[in-house]
Amino acid sequence: MQEGTIPLTANIPTLEQLLALAKGHTDAEGRLDGTQMSLPVVLRVSPDSFKFKPSAHSKTASPDSKESNDSNRRNSDAESEDVNELDFEYNHELDPETHTDQQRHDHAVLRLAAQVIATTQFPVGFPTETVYGLGANACSEAAVANIFYAKGRPADNPLIVHVSSLRMARSVSSDAAVLGEGESAGAGAGGRATYGALLKRHWPGPLSVLVPRCERQIPAIVTAGHGLVAVRLPAHPVARALIGLAQTPVAAPSANTSTRPSPTRASHVRDDLRGRLLLLIDGGDCDDGLESSVVDALRSATVPPELSPTSLQTTPTTAVIPHRIPPCLLRPGGISIEMLRKIKGFEDCVVWSPKLPSANKNDTIAPVTPGMKYKHYSPNVPLVLLESHQDETLYSKQQYREAISIAISARISAFLEKTPTKIITSPATIVILRTLSQSDFALNLPRSLPPQVTILQKSLGDSTAKVAHELFAALRDCETLYLNCLLVFIEGVAEADEGLAVMNRLRKAAGETIFFHE
Ligand code: TXA
Ligand code: MG
């Protein structure tokens, strides 16, 4: 059994039995009020149980078409002409000849979860390859309102809509062509922006793209009133099968309480949402550990010609050259900026920052990435980020060790001065989370600590991918695993590849940053 996995629940309740558990524990709006401590019901499934076949709508569907259930394939076949994985759907009927008991069980679990999503207003917790999601029918205003309530999420922070096929993705956009297999991708000068090439390479996967919201399908509450909706086709077989069975797009933020680190294990979801969630599907630990990248390639469409910097520089007699606004990575995540820039049309993709000029003069910067202004990812222990003033690769190991040791020691001394030993009455821990490849060498830490205080060092791994995978779980572990955790230090990483997303999360999670240098 994987660490953090909750034991298998043998009996699968019926929908009626499940709803009966909520009785007497809902408010006037029918929302779980947090008093039913035996909720959520947790049902465990194996991601391997779910096989995907080309859908009946797919050009490539044929009786002997190949199956797929590898969530990490990241579309390796999608380049080939005869298999388009974006059209694969979960086979809704199990083959009685071939299925195993485990598959029958897991299929029944997802059928129940799909029923909850399709026919009630209760959200369901489910695994994706990035983090666990808290999903509800994206077409139901009341169901989506329940997500905001359960998480305590501010109403002006929009949700990502999850789909199980490209066909479903097109149904949530008022301009399905932006998701289509365009000749060129990205925001083209004067031309139409499409995500075709990008999706062909990175869907299903940890990538959310902004498309015009289809108002008939997706209520305004999902996007907090914005015209663009973020849409994602997850690679996790459980997520994709669940959405396919529900036969509706699923709005889902990360399944944590607002401001907390995102959940990468079912136990994290249960810890945060106990009493506020009816059903949680446990599919084991998430593969990636950080959320999807959110990309906007449609910004050019929102720029009135008179606002184009090029047009402002022209005289009335000069022809106006349409101004190209490059695509923008709004939130770094599973698909790195380096990966995005390899895609035709995304070569000049920029990373969002508050310093970027707004695409539209009527836009304040804030609505572009509404989530940015809120406190995020914060554990219930003080977290200190250690950022190097210069590229760590320029340090010798010895220089690095001295610089970071001085920074940590000074901060611990200041902490102990402010927190006299007599206040720390029981055994206590200071944790140092190491992230760099140099983490194999020891730091020079203060020797004269009060006897009840222990310094504990934990390595999150020697690559940024491993750090990304471990990060949120490690922050939560500091709250629960270590005795009376007083202070947590974490080393920053270089901002290349997954490192950009890691630093984005760390800067938001940390209450304090120490810049150190030689
Ligand atoms: O990997 C993920 O993306 C996970 C899993 C569950 O799919 N979901 C997730 O959702 O991280 P959430 O709600 O925790 O974060 C979504 C981010 C927020 O920063 C939000 O502001 C931004 O995406 N976002 C969502 N819709 C948007 C929109 N229409 N325009 C701009 N930003 C949007
Ligand atoms: Mg979140």
Side-chain angles (χ1 to χ4, degrees):
M1 193 168 77
Q2 285 183 35
E3 204 187 332
T5 297
I6 296 161
L8 184 76
T9 307
N11 297 323
I12 305 170
T14 62
L15 181 63
E16 292 66 36
Q17 287 168 334
L18 197 59
L19 296 176
L21 291 173
K23 277 231 170 78
H25 298 280
T26 51
D27 64 11
E29 258 94 6
R31 306 175 302 199
L32 281 167
D33 59 13
T35 56
Q36 172 55 285
M37 298 317 269
S38 64
L39 291 177
V41 168
V42 182
L43 298 174
R44 189 145 65 86
V45 296
S46 161
D48 294 335
S49 291
F50 303 98
K51 310 282 178 204
F52 293 83
K53 287 187 170 169
S55 76
H57 309 273
S58 160
K59 292 183 285 214
T60 56
S62 76
D64 53 2
S65 296
K66 72 180 274 186
E67 284 184 337
S68 160
N69 72 337
D70 183 349
S71 64
N72 289 320
R73 229 154 41 101
R74 294 283 145 81
N75 248 358
S76 52
D77 280 334
E79 318 281 29
S80 83
E81 279 302 306
D82 57 339
V83 179
N84 185 357
E85 204 196 336
L86 300 184
D87 284 330
F88 276 38
E89 277 181 12
Y90 177 58
N91 191 3
H92 292 206
E93 297 309 324
L94 286 181
D95 180 348
E97 300 286 309
T98 58
H99 74 253
T100 61
D101 286 350
Q102 173 86 45
Q103 278 179 319
R104 191 162 42 80
H105 170 272
D106 293 355
H107 180 81
V109 168
L110 285 205
R111 265 204 181 287
L112 173 68
Q115 243 185 323
V116 173
I117 289 175
T119 66
T120 82
Q121 292 170 9
F122 292 109
V124 169
F126 66 99
T128 82
E129 72 278 26
T130 57
V131 299
Y132 271 77
L134 181 63
N137 184 351
C139 304
S140 158
E141 190 174 331
V144 173
N146 279 357
I147 297 177
F148 283 92
Y149 176 79
K151 263 187 78 102
R153 180 171 176 119
D156 63 353
N157 194 4
L159 307 180
I160 295 170
V161 171
H162 296 68
V163 294
S164 59
S165 65
L166 189 56
R167 196 168 54 88
M168 195 186 274
R170 290 192 177 124
S171 77
V172 310
S173 175
S174 61
D175 181 3
V178 299
L179 290 157
E181 312 224 341
E183 334 64 61
S184 67
R192 273 158 66 81
T194 91
Y195 293 101
L198 182 60
L199 303 187
K200 202 165 180 190
R201 182 71 191 87
H202 292 299
W203 263 15
L207 171 73
S208 303
V209 295
L210 295 198
V211 301
R213 171 171 66 94
C214 171
E215 291 176 19
R216 271 177 295 109
Q217 274 272 74
I218 305 296
I221 185 174
V222 173
T223 63
H226 295 294
L228 298 180
V229 58
V231 58
R232 166 158 122 81
L233 176 55
H236 198 290
V238 173
R240 214 172 155 190
L242 173 62
I243 302 162
L245 286 173
Q247 295 192 307
T248 181
V250 170
S254 49
N256 52 288
T257 304
S258 246
T259 79
R260 302 265 303 134
S262 296
T264 55
R265 298 174 186 161
S267 56
H268 298 159
V269 181
R270 191 184 52 180
D271 291 348
D272 270 20
L273 298 177
R274 197 187 287 277
R276 292 177 164 265
L277 177 63
L278 187 63
L279 179 63
L280 169 58
I281 307 301
D282 180 353
D285 294 3
C286 299
D287 287 333
D288 294 2
L290 291 186
E291 303 91 334
S292 63
S293 301
V294 181
V295 174
D296 181 2
L298 303 185
R299 302 188 319 147
S300 61
T302 65
V303 185
E306 70 276 14
L307 259 188
S308 142
T310 320
S311 71
L312 295 176
Q313 287 159 16
T314 58
T315 63
T317 52
T318 331
V320 173
I321 304 156
H323 175 57
R324 178 181 153 77
I325 294 196
C328 185
L329 173 59
L330 298 180
R331 177 179 70 176
I335 304 296
S336 68
I337 186 72
E338 291 85 353
M339 289 156 90
L340 288 172
R341 287 180 182 152
K342 286 194 181 127
I343 306 291
K344 188 158 178 279
F346 288 81
E347 296 88 346
D348 56 351
C349 187
V350 293
V351 179
W352 186 88
S353 101
K355 288 181 208 131
L356 267 187
S358 177
N360 183 334
K361 81 166 175 208
N362 300 320
D363 253 9
T364 57
I365 277 291
V368 178
T369 43
M372 304 294 247
K373 62 178 184 277
Y374 294 108
K375 190 176 170 217
H376 258 105
Y377 315 119
S378 309
N380 293 330
V381 286
L383 179 69
V384 181
L385 171 62
L386 298 157
E387 273 206 58
S388 159
H389 252 322
Q390 69 186 64
D391 182 353
E392 302 88 37
T393 54
L394 300 177
Y395 285 113
S396 71
K397 280 195 172 191
Q398 185 58 26
Q399 286 169 325
Y400 180 85
R401 173 183 133 125
E402 272 167 25
I404 197 166
S405 299
I406 290 169
I408 293 175
S409 300
R411 185 64 188 84
I412 292 177
S413 303
F415 174 83
L416 291 173
E417 253 166 49
K418 264 189 154 174
T419 316
T421 313
K422 58 181 183 313
I423 297 182
I424 311 170
T425 49
S426 53
T429 319
I430 291 175
V431 180
I432 304 175
L433 298 174
R434 310 288 310 271
T435 62
L436 298 173
S437 50
Q438 292 101 319
S439 58
D440 54 346
F441 65 85
L443 297 174
N444 232 341
L445 297 171
R447 299 224 175 106
S448 56
L449 285 175
Q452 65 273 44
V453 178
T454 310
I455 296 183
L456 213 146
Q457 295 189 51
K458 181 178 158 53
S459 170
L460 299 188
D462 57 7
S463 71
T464 41
K466 285 187 195 154
V467 172
H469 182 262
E470 291 299 310
L471 180 62
F472 287 139
L475 293 181
R476 283 177 180 263
D477 283 351
C478 288
E479 300 170 347
T480 51
L481 280 192
Y482 311 119
L483 276 179
N484 186 16
C485 182
L486 301 173
L487 197 57
V488 180
F489 293 93
I490 185 159
E491 281 176 300
V493 297
E495 287 182 272
D497 302 316
E498 297 90 344
L500 186 67
V502 169
M503 288 308 288
N504 169 279
R505 306 305 189 272
L506 277 182
R507 290 190 181 119
K508 289 178 185 176
E512 180 185 338
T513 302
I514 297 178
F515 292 97
F516 66 93
H517 48 85
E518 264 177 273

